[in-house]
Amino acid sequence: MTDEKKVLVENEDGDTAEINLNNTGDVTDTGSLEDEAPEVPTDLTETLKAEIERLKGELNEKQERYMRLQADFDNFRKRTAKEKTELAATIEQAFLKDLLPLLDNLSRATEAVELGEESNVETLKKGIEMINQETVAVMGKHGLEPIDTEGKAFDPNFHQAVSRVADPDREDGTIAAELQRGYIARGRVIRPSMVQVVSND
């Protein structure tokens, strides 16, 4: 039986190891000066690789879906703009077509004036009245309506006051006279009526 003596050895990094000295002078190493790095199990590595590949696949799929949605939106925007342009052109053509009878009547009235015959004066007057009626009808067909001012109170949403007049027979703030007719197109004012407003102050 040999006698052993245990000795602690410390390296420069501060790590210690315990060695045994036997009576023969041999050194028995009982510890490592540096801890060995733990090995990652192979099955865990494969699992992580598989998860990374799965996430990459999901990311690529979502990117492709986003690109398809963006392309669909761009196509929808272009198609909508084209449809609006075509619709505006159709409405404009319909409006111009409705104006053609008015142009015809104006041409006839102009010809009657150029002839200068006295018998045509009454005909010209009736023709102008017809043109006015047709114009109102065409404009009404396309949503244009005159703003009513007769006996109305002044409303800045529909009327534009250009002057004030005294009239003791009327209340202040009422419309005394219409100087230029205003119009509404489908509920929106496109031109306010220019009016005189009663002010007795």
Side-chain angles (χ1 to χ4, degrees):
M1 183 174 181
T2 59
D3 294 332
E4 292 184 354
K5 183 178 181 181
K6 293 181 180 182
V7 179
L8 291 177
V9 178
E10 184 175 348
N11 65 5
E12 295 178 354
D13 296 331
D15 295 327
T16 59
E18 185 181 83
I19 59 175
N20 294 329
L21 290 177
N22 54 30
N23 56 0
T24 62
D26 295 331
V27 177
T28 303
D29 189 358
T30 61
S32 175
L33 295 178
E34 296 182 358
D35 295 333
E36 295 182 359
E39 294 184 2
V40 178
T42 304
D43 56 346
L44 179 59
T45 302
E46 295 300 325
T47 301
L48 292 175
K49 288 182 179 179
E51 182 67 12
I52 291 173
E53 292 301 321
R54 185 184 68 80
L55 293 175
K56 285 182 179 179
E58 289 184 358
L59 179 60
N60 291 334
E61 181 181 351
K62 290 180 178 179
Q63 286 179 337
E64 291 178 1
R65 186 182 305 172
Y66 169 75
M67 294 177 66
R68 286 196 299 269
L69 288 174
Q70 188 176 27
D72 290 342
F73 176 75
D74 289 340
N75 292 334
F76 170 77
R77 181 174 51 81
K78 293 176 182 178
R79 185 171 62 252
T80 302
K82 182 179 179 181
E83 289 175 354
K84 286 183 177 179
T85 302
E86 293 175 350
L87 179 61
T90 301
I91 293 174
E92 185 179 56
Q93 291 172 2
F95 178 69
L96 293 175
K97 183 178 180 181
D98 289 339
L99 288 179
L100 293 179
L102 301 179
L103 292 176
D104 294 338
N105 289 332
L106 284 172
S107 297
R108 295 188 188 100
T110 302
E111 291 174 1
V113 171
E114 290 176 351
L115 291 175
E117 298 178 4
E118 294 182 1
S119 60
N120 288 332
V121 173
E122 189 64 26
T123 303
L124 177 61
K125 180 180 178 181
K126 290 181 180 179
I128 292 175
E129 291 176 353
M130 289 180 58
I131 291 172
N132 182 64
Q133 292 173 357
E134 289 180 1
T135 302
V136 172
V138 169
M139 296 300 182
K141 178 181 178 181
H142 290 274
L144 187 72
E145 300 176 7
I147 297 175
D148 188 14
T149 59
E150 186 176 356
K152 301 293 183 180
F154 175 77
D155 186 344
N157 294 314
F158 300 96
H159 311 131
Q160 180 180 352
V162 295
S163 63
R164 296 181 179 275
V165 294
D167 189 344
D169 296 330
R170 298 184 182 182
E171 295 182 4
D172 287 353
T174 57
I175 295 174
E178 180 183 71
L179 305 179
Q180 185 181 68
R181 180 156 294 181
Y183 292 93
I184 298 174
R186 305 194 184 280
R188 301 183 66 178
V189 175
I190 63 172
R191 189 177 76 182
S193 298
M194 295 177 64
V195 297
Q196 288 181 332
V197 182
V198 175
S199 177
N200 294 315
D201 295 339

